[in-house]
C-alpha cells in the first residue's frame, strides 16, 4: 500500500517587505542580505492570521475533492493563532472536514517533514483514506525587529499537501528523521508566561522572540541536511541520480548550494524559492514543493526528495514517487 502526495497548495500574505525597507529598520544592506542568504523579499501577514493562510493553502488542495475522505489533519506550526483550540481543530471546523482527526505538531523548520512522516504512519495503521499536512507560519510575530542577524531572514506563509492512500501505487518510498540535542540552545524562542501570585520577585521569562546563533546553526544545517539525505536514500536501491528534484528547507541559499555540491547533483535539480519568501520555517518545504509542482517540470513517476532541518535541533528527509 502506498501513501501518495496527490496535491499541493500555498498561500502568501499580501504585504511584501523588501530588503530596502529593512535598511530603514536595522543596520543592514540589500547586498549583504542577497549575498549571504539569497533573500530579496519576504511576506508579512498584517491583515491575515495563521488560520487565514492555512485555510487558503488547504482549500487549494481540496478543490473538487471529496472532503468526507479526509481522515486526518496535521498542522505544523510554531506560531499558532491560539494554543487552544489548536490550528488543526480550527482548520477541521472551517474546512467542514467532519471525519478528520486534527492536531498540531511542533518540530520547528523540520515540521512539515515530521508531519508527512507522522501522517504516513497513522494512515497505514488506521487505514485512513487521506490526510492534509500543513506547514503554516506567521514568523514575523516572533521576530526580533531590532536584531539584524535574524530579522532579515524570516517571513510568513503556508503550504499544504494532500496525501492519499493508494493500494496500487508506490507513493512514499523512504523517510529518515533525526533529532540532535541543542545543549546551548543555538536556536530558541521563549514563552511569555505571566508572573503568578506565587512567583518570587526575581521571576523572569524568556521573551517570545527567535534567538539564533547563526553560524552554529549554519554549521549544523550543512551537516544535518546531508546526513538525512544519505540515510533516506541508503536502503532504497536508488542513487541521487534517480531523484528528479530536491525540495530543501529554504533557510539560506548557501545551505542549498552546499547540499548540491556534496551530493554532486546539479543545482537546477534543487527547488529554490527563498528569494521572495525568506525562511518561513515549517511552511518553507510545502510552499517550495507547490512551486515545483506548478512549474510544469514534474512528470508522473518522478522521484522527489523533501529535506528539512531546524530548531530542536531536528532534521528529516522523505523520498516519494509522484
Ligand atoms: O531555519 C532554521 C535553520 N536556520 C538556518 O539554517 C540559518 C543558518 N544560518 C545562516 O543562514 C547564517 O549564519 C546567517 C545568514 C544567519 C548569517 O550569515 P553568516 O555568514 O553566518 O554571518 P555572521 O553571523 O557570521 O556575520 C558575519 C558578519 C558579522 O560582522 P563582523 O562581526 O564580521 O563585523 C555580522 O555582524 O555580518 C554581520 N551581519 C550583518 N551585516 C549586515 C550579521 N547580520 C547582518 C545583516 N546585515 N543583516
Amino acid at each position: 500500500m502506498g501513501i501518495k502526495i496527490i496535491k499541493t497548495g500555498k498561500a502568501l500574505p499580501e504585504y511584501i517587505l523588501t530588503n530596502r525597507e529593512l535598511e530603514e529598520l536595522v543596520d543592514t544592506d540589500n547586498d549583504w542580505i542577497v549575498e549571504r542568504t539569497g533573500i530579496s523579499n519576504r511576506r508579512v501577514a498584517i491583515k491575515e492570521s495563521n488560520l487565514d493562510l492555512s485555510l487558503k493553502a488547504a482549500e487549494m488542495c481540496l478543490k473538487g475533492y471529496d472532503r468526507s475522505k479526509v481522515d486526518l489533519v496535521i498542522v505544523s506550526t510554531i506560531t499558532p493563532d491560539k494554543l487552544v483550540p489548536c490550528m488543526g481543530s480550527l482548520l477541521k471546523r472551517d474546512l467542514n472536514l467532519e471525519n478528520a482527526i486534527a492536531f498540531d505538531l511542533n518540530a520547528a523548520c523540520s515540521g512539515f517533514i515530521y508531519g508527512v512522516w507522522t501522517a504516513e504512519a497513522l494512515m497505514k495503521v488506521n487505514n485512513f483514506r487521506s490526510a492534509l499536512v500543513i506547514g503554516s507560519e506567521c514568523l514575523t510575530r516572533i521576530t526580533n525587529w531590532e536584531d539584524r542577524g535574524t530579522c532579515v531572514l524570516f517571513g510568513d506563509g503556508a503550504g499544504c499537501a494532500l496525501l492519499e492512500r493508494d493500494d496500487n501505487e508506490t507513493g512514499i518510498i523512504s523517510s529518515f528523521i533525526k533529532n540532535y540535542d541543542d545543549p546551548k540552545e543555538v536556536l530558541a524562542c521563549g514563552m511569555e508566561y505571566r508572573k503568578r501570585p506565587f512567583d518570587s520577585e526575581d521571576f523572569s521569562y524568556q521573551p517570545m522572540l527567535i534567538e539564533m546563533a547563526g553560524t552554529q546553526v549554519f554549521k549544523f544545517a550543512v551537516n544535518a541536511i546531508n546526513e538525512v539525505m544519505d540515510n533516506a536514500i541508503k536502503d532504497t536501491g536508488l542513487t541521487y541520480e534517480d531523484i528528479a528534484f530536491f525540495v530543501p528547507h529554504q533557510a539560506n541559499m548557501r545551505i542549498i548550494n552546499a547540499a548540491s555540491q556534496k551530493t554532486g547533483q546539479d543545482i537546477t535539480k534543487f527547488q529554490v524559492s527563498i528569494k521572495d519568501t525568506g525562511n518561513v520555517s515549517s511552511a518553507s518545504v510545502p510552499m517550495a514543493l507547490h512551486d515545483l509542482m506548478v512549474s510544469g517540470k514534474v512528470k508522473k513517476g518522478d522521484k522527489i526528495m523533501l529535506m528539512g532541518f531546524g530548531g530542536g535541533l531536528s532534521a528529516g528527509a522523505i523520498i516519494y514517487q509522484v
Side-chain angles (χ1 to χ4, degrees):
M1 179 216 301
I3 303 296
K4 297 197 68 93
I5 296 181
I6 58 163
K7 202 94 190 278
T8 59
K10 169 184 167 181
L12 287 171
E14 210 176 287
Y15 184 74
I16 300 172
L17 177 64
T18 64
N19 289 351
R20 298 280 178 216
E21 283 170 89
L22 283 167
E23 289 175 355
E24 309 290 314
L25 276 183
V26 288
D27 179 15
T28 190
D29 63 87
N30 175 58
D31 292 349
W32 189 96
I33 304 172
V34 171
E35 217 171 274
R36 303 307 290 166
T37 69
I39 302 167
S40 296
N41 306 296
R42 69 289 292 143
R43 300 293 182 107
V44 179
I46 299 170
K47 295 184 200 148
E48 305 87 349
S49 63
N50 186 323
L51 182 61
D52 293 332
L53 297 172
S54 43
L55 271 174
K56 202 169 162 192
E59 288 285 8
M60 281 175 89
C61 282
L62 291 174
K63 202 163 175 235
Y65 194 76
D66 176 2
R67 293 177 191 223
S68 71
K69 283 165 66 178
V70 180
D71 292 323
L72 178 67
V73 176
I74 299 179
V75 180
S76 164
T77 185
I78 55 169
T79 49
D81 292 332
K82 295 178 164 75
L83 273 183
V84 180
C86 70
M87 296 299 301
S89 298
L90 297 173
L91 265 177
K92 175 199 176 314
R93 178 195 71 192
D94 291 355
L95 291 168
N96 293 315
L97 303 174
E98 48 187 292
N99 298 319
I101 292 162
F103 60 90
D104 290 4
L105 173 158
N106 172 352
C109 304
S110 311
F112 180 75
I113 306 290
Y114 279 54
V116 172
W117 178 68
T118 306
E120 184 202 10
L122 289 178
M123 288 173 81
K124 284 184 168 166
V125 169
N126 296 293
N127 263 340
F128 288 158
R129 293 160 294 176
S130 60
L132 281 177
V133 181
I134 294 139
S136 185
E137 303 287 4
C138 291
L139 277 193
T140 59
R141 284 170 168 167
I142 56 167
T143 296
N144 180 352
W145 293 101
E146 292 173 0
D147 174 16
R148 69 173 182 169
T150 53
C151 77
V152 301
L153 304 173
F154 302 121
D156 302 335
C160 181
L162 178 62
L163 278 58
E164 189 174 62
R165 203 182 70 217
D166 190 316
D167 294 332
N168 305 309
E169 292 206 36
T170 306
I172 294 172
I173 295 169
S174 150
S175 310
F176 182 80
I177 302 285
K178 181 162 175 176
N179 275 76
Y180 307 75
D181 290 337
D182 183 8
K184 293 191 180 146
E185 299 195 4
V186 291
L187 182 44
C189 178
M191 288 288 271
E192 285 190 355
Y193 288 122
R194 289 173 189 213
K195 185 172 181 292
R196 297 163 297 184
F198 328 100
D199 284 315
S200 62
E201 281 313 307
D202 55 11
F203 169 87
S204 67
Y205 62 85
Q206 265 193 298
M208 203 157 131
L209 291 172
I210 302 172
E211 287 180 79
M212 182 170 73
T215 310
Q216 277 101 309
V217 176
F218 187 92
K219 284 180 187 156
F220 153 74
V222 288
N223 290 320
I225 192 170
N226 275 89
E227 184 177 4
V228 295
M229 289 174 82
D230 287 349
N231 277 286
I233 206 163
K234 198 170 64 184
D235 297 321
T236 58
L238 301 171
T239 66
Y240 283 125
E241 278 67 37
D242 298 316
I243 307 294
F245 297 102
F246 299 89
V247 183
H249 172 42
Q250 309 281 311
N252 190 316
M253 192 57 217
R254 290 183 288 141
I255 297 172
I256 301 175
N257 280 327
S260 151
Q261 277 158 19
K262 275 199 192 171
T263 54
Q265 298 303 297
D266 198 88
I267 192 67
T268 54
K269 289 175 79 175
F270 287 71
Q271 177 61 34
V272 175
S273 301
I274 190 171
K275 181 171 172 277
D276 292 313
T277 55
N279 178 345
V280 195
S281 192
S282 68
S284 280
V285 172
M287 290 201 304
L289 177 61
H290 181 75
D291 292 344
L292 173 67
M293 296 313 287
V294 297
S295 70
K297 291 189 279 189
V298 179
K299 299 186 304 293
K300 174 94 183 132
D302 275 351
K303 295 179 186 75
I304 295 178
M305 185 185 269
L306 312 174
M307 302 98 81
F309 53 86
L313 297 163
S314 59
I318 290 173
I319 302 171
Y320 78 96
Q321 185 162 355
V322 178

